Amino acid sequence: MNYENLKSLLFKLDPECAHNLASVGMKIAKNTPFLNDYIKKSFCYENEILSQNLLGLKFANPLGIGGGFDKNADLIKPLSLFGFGFLEYGTFTPKAQFGNEKPRLWRLIDEKSLQNAMGFNNKGANAILKQVKNAYPYSVPVFANIGKNKLTPNDDALKDYEILAQNFSEFCDGFVINISSPNTPNLRDLQSESFISELFSALRAKSSRPLLLKIAPDMSPSTAVRLCDCAINNGAKALIINNTSINYSLSQNAKNRGGLSGELIKEKSRALFSAVARELYSKAVLISCGGISDAKDALWRIKQGASLLEIFTAFIYQGPSLCKNINENLAQMLKDEGFSNISQAIGVDIA
């Protein structure tokens, strides 16, 4: 069965139910040797032109899957089979939490987008620690995406991040600091220079792993640059630009809660990334996400300063061949333009 046929069945289900069902399928495939081999053969693409050494890690290709897809670290090994250059697990929190009330995930099919109001639903640090211990060592770089519990007041948020950084330092290759989700009340209020300075200084004392800041797209470029620069000055090694958007005017079909991802936020994400890259390129590893769905857009962002890229929504709409398609076409585009390695293309178009 090809993915379009499978998608027609999955899209008849509630989006969250469909995701859970697909996750079960991936875990079964991981434990079935002939399916394991079939997935690798069908969906992986390797080419040295795409390999890089960043953050003290080897990335076979620049394409990763963003936080939120594998909230409970159930899918580290299955997703590794699909040709990703790196992965994230989470966002997770110290204590287990249900998240927001259902329904909390919607497809905007005509716009190839999603809207989610999940609210950091996860099994909590203790359960997830068992999962990552079972999956370790990893075959690709893996980042832990960490957040605070909904019931933790912002005044105490630092403690939640410190607990996670200390307990998971041995079982990740870096921490993605999530203070930009729109689905935990008042979380985005933590996107301030004072909190970022305090947070990154505290986490450096808890772990030697690289720290990555993920920012929201719904701020001015000048604010984004200022916050990112503050994070870099306090130890951030990489920036992820950006999380989901709460600009509901982007779609007539949008709900009035949750964050938009996919094609709807592509231009917003590209514009914010370019603004940040112009000011901070070479100061930190830059990771672009938001509406990436093909190699042409991937190469544009690389030339604008992205060393790495993340997909999420396009993986839902295009299926497991997406990673291979982007990487294979990207490798050919780089070769056609005379680059012998992706690193030579990074930032060449920064004005």
Side-chain angles (χ1 to χ4, degrees), residues 46-337:
E46 295 182 4
N47 192 323
E48 274 299 311
I49 197 172
L50 298 177
S51 68
Q52 304 175 80
N53 290 304
L54 301 164
L55 304 173
L57 305 164
K58 175 67 178 290
F59 293 82
N61 67 70
L63 202 61
I65 193 154
F69 193 91
D70 185 17
K71 289 179 177 292
N72 294 305
D74 294 319
L75 303 175
I76 293 174
K77 287 189 175 179
L79 285 171
S80 299
L81 300 175
F82 285 92
F84 288 100
F86 66 101
L87 306 171
E88 284 188 38
Y89 62 88
T91 300
F92 65 99
T93 52
K95 298 177 182 178
Q97 56 184 33
F98 176 79
N100 295 324
E101 294 298 317
K102 299 180 181 181
R104 55 194 182 182
L105 180 63
W106 303 271
R107 303 181 189 98
L108 304 173
I109 295 175
D110 292 341
E111 296 153 316
K112 297 179 181 178
S113 297
L114 296 173
Q115 186 165 5
N116 94 81
M118 303 298 285
F120 289 175
N121 55 303
N122 73 98
K123 295 178 181 178
N126 289 340
I128 293 171
L129 188 58
K130 293 179 182 178
Q131 290 288 102
V132 296
K133 285 181 178 179
N134 289 334
Y136 197 82
Y138 311 129
S139 59
V140 298
V142 175
F143 299 114
N145 187 314
I146 58 176
K148 81 170 188 72
N149 278 109
K150 181 178 181 178
L151 296 181
T152 300
N154 277 7
D155 288 345
D156 295 327
L158 183 63
K159 296 176 184 177
D160 280 8
Y161 292 98
E162 286 182 308
I163 289 169
L164 297 176
Q166 181 169 321
N167 292 339
F168 284 81
S169 188
E170 293 182 42
F171 300 101
C172 69
D173 294 302
F175 290 99
V176 176
I177 312 304
N178 193 341
I179 54 174
S180 56
S181 170
N183 299 318
T184 295
N186 306 315
L187 183 71
R188 288 189 172 185
D189 292 345
L190 298 178
Q191 293 184 127
S192 68
E193 290 183 69
S194 60
F195 182 74
I196 287 174
S197 176
E198 184 181 14
L199 174 63
F200 277 79
S201 296
L203 295 188
R204 287 204 330 272
K206 297 294 182 180
S207 173
S208 60
R209 299 296 191 186
L211 302 177
L212 299 78
L213 176 67
K214 187 171 191 175
I215 66 169
D218 305 306
M219 64 177 75
S220 69
S222 60
T223 299
V225 169
R226 190 172 68 250
L227 294 179
C228 289
D229 193 40
C230 175
I232 292 169
N233 290 335
N234 286 280
K237 299 300 182 183
L239 308 169
I240 303 178
I241 307 155
N242 49 252
N243 212 318
T244 57
S245 173
I246 56 171
N247 183 355
Y248 305 138
S249 67
L250 293 171
S251 172
Q252 294 182 341
N253 301 309
K255 310 293 182 182
N256 62 356
R257 65 191 183 105
L260 296 167
S261 65
E263 290 288 328
L264 282 171
I265 69 167
K266 175 180 285 188
E267 293 309 315
K268 172 186 278 285
S269 299
R270 283 165 58 118
L272 185 62
F273 181 82
S274 293
V276 173
R278 280 195 299 271
E279 299 297 328
L280 301 179
Y281 173 70
S282 80
K283 293 185 178 181
V285 172
L286 302 183
I287 304 171
S288 185
C289 59
I292 298 172
S293 60
D294 58 43
K296 182 178 179 181
D297 188 30
L299 182 58
W300 185 90
R301 298 183 196 228
I302 288 165
K303 288 182 174 181
Q304 288 291 315
S307 295
L308 300 171
L309 310 163
E310 288 188 340
I311 59 171
F312 188 114
T313 304
F315 192 58
I316 307 299
Y317 281 95
Q318 297 187 40
S321 62
L322 176 64
C323 192
K324 180 179 180 180
N325 289 342
I326 290 180
N327 281 323
E328 189 171 15
N329 290 328
L330 178 59
Q332 187 61 52
M333 289 178 179
L334 289 167
K335 183 178 179 181
D336 289 346
E337 295 197 21

Side-chain angles (χ1 to χ4, degrees), residues 31-44:
N31 293 317
T32 308
F34 80 90
L35 288 176
N36 213 305
D37 293 339
Y38 171 78
I39 291 170
K40 286 183 178 180
K41 183 177 179 180
S42 300
F43 303 120
C44 291

